[in-house]
Amino acid sequence: MTIALDRPQKTRSAQIREKLGYPIIDTDVHTQEFEPAVLDYLEQVGGTALVERFKENLPGSSRFKWYKQSWEERFAYRTNRPNWWGRPTKNTLNLATISLPKLLHERLQEAGTDFAVVYPNLATMAPNIGNEEMRRAVCRAVNTYHADIFRPYSDRLTPIAAIPLHTPEEGIEELEYAVNVLGLKAIQIPGYVRRPIPAFEKYGKEVANEVVWIDNFGLDSEYDYDPFWAKCVELKVVPTTHASSQGWTTQRSVTNAQYNHINHFAFAAEALCKSLFFGGVTRRFPQLKFAFLEGGSAWGASLYADIIWHWETRNKQHLLSNNNPAIIDKEALVELYTRYGGELVDGRLDQIGDGLGFHHQLLAPENPGELDEFELAGIEKPEDVRDRFLNHFYFGTESDDTRVSQAFNRAANPFGDRVKAFLGSDSGHWDVPDITAVTANAYSMAEREIITEEDLRYFLSIHPLELYTSLNQDFFKGTGVEKAANEYLAAKK
């Protein structure tokens, strides 16, 4: 209690919040479960035996097998080195804050924040548990636990529900329970499911566990996930993801955890984003928006521009008009080889072929009707990319990530648009040693003219309001942001 009395009444972030005059919504505040209580909930869901199995094989523990191996074993298995301790430990108050909802609720305004979406650590990992019984039990237990402990503080805090998606059916079942029974209104889906490649299963479980493909629920997925997306629309919840790609081939250094950590959230998020786009999910569900947390927004700006560039240079009509072997003028080609080839082609003009090189001889003829790789996404012009991408995807960005300037660089972004970056502070993890500095960090980017004051408002307020009211106009009802949300919705009409 004395710690609370010693805290400053108004931090710089709180002072800035008053100056700005609009609500600040943090879309990614991390919390840590109190383990004994979570185990009680898990026992109620799955029984004592399941709890014991859970304690022996904690979610995410496979990522930390590195610590149990010798250096020889680490290199033999190419085990990726994980980050060391990921919680802020220097400031005891901050450490306690991420575990105690009452304290977090009390301190939220010290960060300059009016409302926060909470991503509990175990909840972010639970949907990735391989064993179905364990996965579904842990998701149910942590969702019930978080619904209970955060319910008294719903005016400023709302926790996500962990939704497993190994199949659309299990996702729908947990989604209905989370929303209809527990009253949760924010969800997190996994970014992918690691599925074994059938051709390699004959080599045994150890090989099958390594030789996998990444199923991102859209393009080339093993299942039709449209029933799940339809259920999200029906229940008025926005799918968000907080996926890691550590352990993938490009994040698999044995010796350097930072090599593995840099951009790993962005890589996983980009894979999901591309899958949803090219798989046509945003075409078939025009009301549905998605949010990608903790990967920043620079990759989103890059991907948006890159998809448009690829459409302009690789759409079906362009390929048939510019890259089609059938349109080669072979007589003109022979004439050019004759005139400029010299000794290189002397006596071998009959071997010129089509001039496309060795590799072309290995390609089977392709049906031109199969060239339209943008068909599922419904792209017929560049503006369609804007409509299918920009209007559907939101990018959680930390308060001190200056690369957000790329999302707001309207001169460089196609059609002069903002990419929808919004505040996801990552408070509660090692990279936010002072949780009260969030708004001050973000505001400093406007002070340094990295982004404009108008961009700052989109980042801190407008984009999160837009996202969470897109399906559920009552999302902020009964919260400290209700008045601002109503004003935002009225202005849109």
Side-chain angles (χ1 to χ4, degrees), residues 444-458:
S444 74
M445 291 195 286
E447 290 178 312
R448 291 178 284 164
E449 299 183 347
I450 294 169
I451 60 176
T452 67
E453 291 270 1
E454 182 185 36
D455 292 335
L456 183 70
R457 184 166 189 168
Y458 275 86

Side-chain angles (χ1 to χ4, degrees), residues 87-136:
R87 307 288 176 269
T89 58
K90 182 177 181 179
N91 186 312
T92 304
L93 177 59
N94 284 343
L95 182 61
T97 298
I98 68 173
S99 293
L100 303 169
K102 182 178 181 180
L103 182 56
L104 176 60
H105 180 268
E106 180 181 311
R107 298 193 67 211
L108 198 64
Q109 289 177 290
E110 293 179 31
T113 304
D114 294 84
F115 188 84
V117 181
V118 176
Y119 282 77
N121 288 311
L122 179 55
T124 62
M125 294 184 287
N128 299 306
I129 297 172
N131 178 271
E132 180 180 356
E133 180 190 18
M134 182 68 71
R135 177 176 65 251
R136 300 185 71 166

Side-chain angles (χ1 to χ4, degrees), residues 145-450:
Y145 168 77
H146 290 118
D148 286 349
I149 68 170
F150 281 101
R151 191 171 289 113
Y153 310 104
S154 60
D155 61 326
R156 295 195 179 276
L157 300 167
T158 194
I160 56 96
I163 306 298
L165 270 185
H166 278 60
T167 66
E169 290 76 20
E170 73 172 18
I172 289 171
E173 183 176 326
E174 190 58 35
L175 183 60
E176 289 181 326
Y177 189 86
V179 175
N180 295 333
V181 179
L182 299 178
L184 295 171
K185 57 185 179 182
I187 69 167
Q188 175 216 260
I189 63 172
Y192 56 90
V193 171
R194 297 170 75 253
R195 301 200 194 276
I197 298 177
F200 292 92
E201 291 182 320
K202 62 186 178 183
Y203 296 108
K205 184 177 180 180
E206 194 170 50
V207 171
N209 284 340
E210 292 292 333
V211 184
V212 299
W213 65 282
I214 303 299
D215 187 341
N216 294 114
F217 317 123
L219 185 68
D220 301 333
S221 179
E222 185 166 322
Y223 297 95
D224 176 8
Y225 280 90
D226 277 7
F228 178 78
W229 308 131
K231 183 61 65 173
C232 288
V233 173
E234 177 189 332
L235 296 180
K236 301 180 180 180
V237 290
V238 173
T240 72
T241 188
H242 199 292
S244 165
S245 67
Q246 289 199 56
W248 291 13
T249 53
T250 54
Q251 274 82 38
R252 201 161 181 169
S253 167
V254 178
T255 62
N256 196 305
Q258 305 321 304
Y259 176 93
N260 297 329
H261 188 272
I262 291 172
N263 281 339
H264 79 103
F265 284 118
F267 290 160
E270 184 183 74
L272 173 59
C273 187
K274 287 191 296 185
S275 178
L276 296 172
F277 176 84
F278 282 106
V281 175
T282 58
R283 175 182 63 81
R284 295 190 298 278
F285 297 93
Q287 319 98 306
L288 194 58
K289 301 181 186 297
F290 297 84
F292 309 92
L293 280 304
E294 205 167 323
S297 50
W299 71 266
S302 175
L303 180 59
Y304 174 48
D306 211 359
I307 291 176
I308 289 180
W309 180 84
H310 274 80
W311 185 87
E312 290 175 339
T313 58
R314 301 294 294 178
N315 69 72
K316 178 180 177 180
Q317 189 55 48
H318 188 280
L319 291 175
L320 291 176
S321 300
N322 295 276
N323 301 89
N324 185 359
I327 65 175
I328 295 173
D329 185 338
K330 294 187 178 180
E331 290 185 6
L333 188 66
V334 170
E335 181 179 344
L336 290 168
Y337 269 72
T338 302
R339 183 178 301 180
Y340 296 102
E343 294 181 359
L344 181 67
V345 301
D346 189 28
R348 293 185 285 183
L349 287 173
D350 60 328
Q351 300 176 36
I352 290 176
D354 53 22
L356 294 177
F358 289 107
H359 70 281
H360 183 255
Q361 309 304 320
L362 303 177
L363 295 175
E366 188 165 15
N367 180 358
E370 298 175 351
L371 288 175
D372 191 355
E373 295 176 319
F374 291 84
E375 183 178 11
L376 285 176
I379 308 303
E380 297 180 354
K381 55 186 181 299
E383 289 81 0
D384 293 334
V385 179
R386 176 190 60 198
D387 297 341
R388 308 278 191 264
F389 184 99
L390 198 67
N391 294 336
H392 288 266
F393 298 134
Y394 291 71
F395 306 91
T397 307
E398 294 168 21
S399 64
D400 58 353
D401 186 350
T402 58
R403 294 170 299 173
V404 74
S405 61
Q406 297 177 46
F408 292 121
N409 188 346
R410 301 180 73 181
N413 290 334
F415 302 107
D417 288 318
R418 293 181 180 89
V419 170
K420 297 181 186 296
F422 65 146
L423 174 65
S425 72
D426 200 36
S427 289
H429 280 174
W430 55 272
D431 50 331
V432 189
D434 180 5
I435 66 174
T436 71
V438 170
T439 296
N441 286 340
Y443 186 69
S444 74
M445 291 195 286
E447 290 178 312
R448 291 178 284 164
E449 299 183 347
I450 294 169

